[in-house]
Amino acid sequence: MKLLEINHLKKSFGDLHVLHDISLSVDEGEVVSIIGPSGSGKSTLLRCATMLETMNGGDLIYGGNAAVTDGVYADKATLGRIKSFYGLVFQNFNLFPHYSVLKNLIDAPINVQKRNKAEVIREAKQLLEDVGLGEKADNYPCQLSGGQQQRVAIARALAMNPKMLFFDEPTSALDPELTTEVLKILRQLAERKMTMVVVTHEIDFARAVSDRVIFMADGYIVEEGTPECVLDNPQNPRTRAFLQKIAR
């Protein structure tokens, strides 16, 4: 089943054209990594897919439900239902600093999804155990390392029971040691067949975990395919030049 379909997405900021005719789809259980140089449109693509930015044209469809058709957005109620389909983890964590770790996880499921409080708390505590932070439930974000904060952010996204997760450079704000602990969680999610779209500069991670890799440059999808094809045997000169540059 296709969980996500994007057809002919266009995005501009004034006269600056950032995304040109982007089309892609993501199947249930698939892990897709998006790589490319800074300024290639990777993060803007994620922000359009999660409706944090407004598309200028194209279609956005989740599980057969149209959020955007020819650049026209669905009604508010439809968009509200569709937004529960996915979660997004930012590169800078975006935790609420005045909430405890546990409250960061339970706030939206209780107040937005109107779920049973006792059940939400029980699930949230289990999620914290799953990401190795069971003992940090009562701590505040400022008391955690960057890697711990990012693991809380992942648990918070999972607390909404999404069908798929988006990650925007989830390790770019972390040093190598903390990066390893966050990538370990993403690997575990991939093993559990969580559908994920990951914008990343971690090429080894993309190679190990992805079903498909997309290389973007200048607002276009330049090349896509299996990690073996795109990362180990790229056909496009632009892809080859990028991979050679970051391998140095």
Side-chain angles (χ1 to χ4, degrees), residues 5-69:
E5 294 176 75
I6 296 174
N7 301 315
H8 308 297
L9 164 58
K10 298 178 182 67
K11 177 62 185 176
S12 301
F13 295 101
D15 294 331
L16 178 65
H17 297 283
V18 180
L19 297 174
H20 308 268
D21 199 25
I22 298 286
S23 295
L24 64 92
S25 64
V26 180
D27 290 334
E28 189 170 8
E30 190 176 23
V31 179
V32 178
S33 289
I34 303 176
I35 64 170
S38 297
S40 59
K42 308 182 300 296
S43 291
T44 302
L45 171 58
L46 243 61
R47 291 179 67 82
C48 286
T50 55
M51 294 187 266
L52 293 174
E53 293 286 356
T54 304
M55 295 164 51
N56 297 127
D59 307 325
L60 177 63
I61 303 161
Y62 280 97
N65 303 293
V68 186
T69 306

Side-chain angles (χ1 to χ4, degrees), residues 2 12 22 25-26 47 51 59-60 114 143 150 156 166 175 181-182 191:
K2 287 198 189 317
S12 301
I22 298 286
S25 64
V26 180
R47 291 179 67 82
M51 294 187 266
D59 307 325
L60 177 63
K114 309 298 183 189
Q143 298 172 303
Q150 191 60 293
R156 181 178 64 176
F166 293 91
D175 64 36
E181 63 185 49
V182 171
E191 288 167 6

Side-chain angles (χ1 to χ4, degrees), residues 13-202:
F13 295 101
D15 294 331
L16 178 65
H17 297 283
V18 180
L19 297 174
H20 308 268
D21 199 25
I22 298 286
S23 295
L24 64 92
S25 64
V26 180
D27 290 334
E28 189 170 8
E30 190 176 23
V31 179
V32 178
S33 289
I34 303 176
I35 64 170
S38 297
S40 59
K42 308 182 300 296
S43 291
T44 302
L45 171 58
L46 243 61
R47 291 179 67 82
C48 286
T50 55
M51 294 187 266
L52 293 174
E53 293 286 356
T54 304
M55 295 164 51
N56 297 127
D59 307 325
L60 177 63
I61 303 161
Y62 280 97
N65 303 293
V68 186
T69 306
D70 275 341
V72 178
Y73 281 73
D75 62 84
K76 191 174 179 180
T78 301
L79 293 180
R81 287 194 301 273
I82 290 172
K83 284 178 180 177
S84 69
F85 219 80
Y86 58 80
L88 173 61
V89 177
F90 300 89
Q91 54 185 291
N92 292 320
F93 326 135
N94 282 24
L95 299 174
F96 295 115
H98 56 295
Y99 285 177
S100 69
V101 165
L102 183 64
K103 188 165 170 55
N104 263 283
L105 265 66
I106 66 174
D107 188 61
I110 291 170
N111 294 312
V112 177
Q113 295 181 328
K114 309 298 183 189
R115 287 165 52 201
N116 177 270
K117 184 175 181 178
E119 180 183 303
V120 169
I121 290 172
R122 188 172 63 250
E123 289 180 8
K125 287 181 175 178
Q126 183 58 55
L127 283 169
L128 288 174
E129 291 287 346
D130 292 346
V131 298
L133 294 171
E135 78 288 358
K136 301 291 186 183
D138 295 326
N139 287 58
Y140 285 82
C142 65
Q143 298 172 303
L144 306 180
S145 70
Q148 289 171 331
Q149 289 187 57
Q150 191 60 293
R151 284 186 279 157
V152 172
I154 293 169
R156 181 178 64 176
L158 290 168
M160 299 290 282
N161 290 329
K163 288 190 168 22
M164 66 183 297
L165 284 178
F166 293 91
F167 294 86
D168 186 9
E169 295 276 14
T171 61
S172 67
L174 305 176
D175 64 36
E177 187 177 346
L178 300 179
T179 292
T180 300
E181 63 185 49
V182 171
L183 293 180
K184 179 184 173 186
I185 300 296
L186 267 65
R187 284 193 171 92
Q188 290 170 353
L189 291 173
E191 288 167 6
R192 285 160 36 193
K193 293 298 179 187
M194 183 73 199
T195 309
M196 295 189 285
V197 177
V198 186
V199 170
T200 185
H201 58 276
E202 299 287 343

